[in-house]
Amino acid sequence: ELEKLGLRDDVDLHVYEVPVEYQAVQRLIPALWKKHSPQLVVHVGVSGMATTVTLEKCGHNVGYKGLDNCRFCPGSQCCVEGGPECIDSIIDMDTVCKRVSALGLDVAVTISKDAGRYLCDFTYYTSLYQSRGRSAFVHVPPLGKPYSAEQLGRALQAIIEEMLDLLEHSEDKINFQHER
């Protein structure tokens, strides 16, 4: 749906489906960062427990015990051997949540600090580690429970545009400080 809606004209949107497989994530995420060198990667995952659109603040390195779609689980139960336990996104999710909620979309947006220690969290951590925090993860409920594809697409569009806005303004401050 987001691919149909698009983003601002100055944004190149690349949409990929990431398999629910630990080893595929470990290959694909670094390859995509290398191929595109993006300003930001926003991962979106469906959570059967979600009733809101949920912005995840951080990814976790350890605790992966569930088998993936290939019936595989990392022996170490972690994403990156020796990596930090938790990596926060550089995106201020509280601000994104407030701004998107203020837009009056017919979708509830909330914040979480636990993406679930399965492939969503694994993907998020892998991307955060690869990007030094320049990633985001958004959990959405299953279609129709309660939101339509159109509602979720509009919400994701607004969320990503707010994230990009925050990122651009924070970089302006960083560049300004370096110029002094």
Side-chain angles (χ1 to χ4, degrees):
E1 193 64 28
L2 180 61
E3 206 166 18
K4 277 195 275 181
L5 290 171
L7 294 168
R8 305 182 316 223
D9 288 343
D10 64 337
V11 176
D12 290 328
L13 175 65
H14 300 275
V15 177
Y16 292 91
E17 185 172 339
V18 177
V20 183
E21 301 168 10
Y22 294 106
Q23 291 172 313
V25 166
Q26 288 179 318
R27 279 190 315 272
L28 186 60
I29 299 305
L32 289 173
W33 272 98
K34 186 176 181 181
K35 178 179 178 180
H36 296 291
S37 299
Q39 181 182 17
L40 174 69
V41 170
V42 180
H43 301 276
V44 179
V46 176
S47 168
M49 297 180 293
T51 57
T52 64
V53 173
T54 308
L55 308 177
E56 299 291 348
K57 287 187 163 192
C58 57
H60 301 89
N61 193 24
V62 297
Y64 297 93
K65 299 174 184 171
L67 297 178
D68 67 12
N69 285 355
C70 292
R71 307 209 39 77
F72 175 82
C73 179
S76 63
Q77 297 181 356
C78 82
C79 297
V80 178
E81 298 278 345
E85 163 47 31
C86 186
I87 302 175
D88 291 327
S89 174
I90 64 167
I91 303 294
D92 181 344
M93 297 302 176
D94 294 308
T95 299
V96 173
C97 185
K98 286 177 192 150
R99 287 184 181 183
V100 173
S101 297
L103 295 174
L105 299 174
D106 49 355
V107 174
V109 181
T110 58
I111 302 289
S112 165
K113 290 183 180 179
D114 187 353
R117 300 304 198 296
Y118 190 51
L119 266 297
C120 290
D121 209 350
F122 191 87
T123 299
Y124 193 23
Y125 184 91
T126 302
S127 191
L128 286 164
Y129 185 84
Q130 186 74 30
S131 67
R132 295 178 180 84
R134 297 175 73 84
S135 300
F137 197 101
V138 181
H139 264 122
V140 297
L143 284 180
K145 297 181 180 181
Y147 305 118
S148 68
E150 295 80 16
Q151 287 173 304
L152 291 174
R154 283 194 312 275
L156 288 170
Q157 183 184 47
I159 287 164
I160 293 168
E161 288 181 356
E162 291 296 342
M163 288 177 176
L164 288 170
D165 184 59
L166 280 178
L167 196 55
E168 287 161 5
H169 284 92
S170 68
E171 286 177 351
D172 288 346
K173 290 176 190 164
I174 293 166
N175 291 336
F176 180 73
Q177 288 169 354
H178 285 299
E179 289 170 10
R180 285 188 178 173

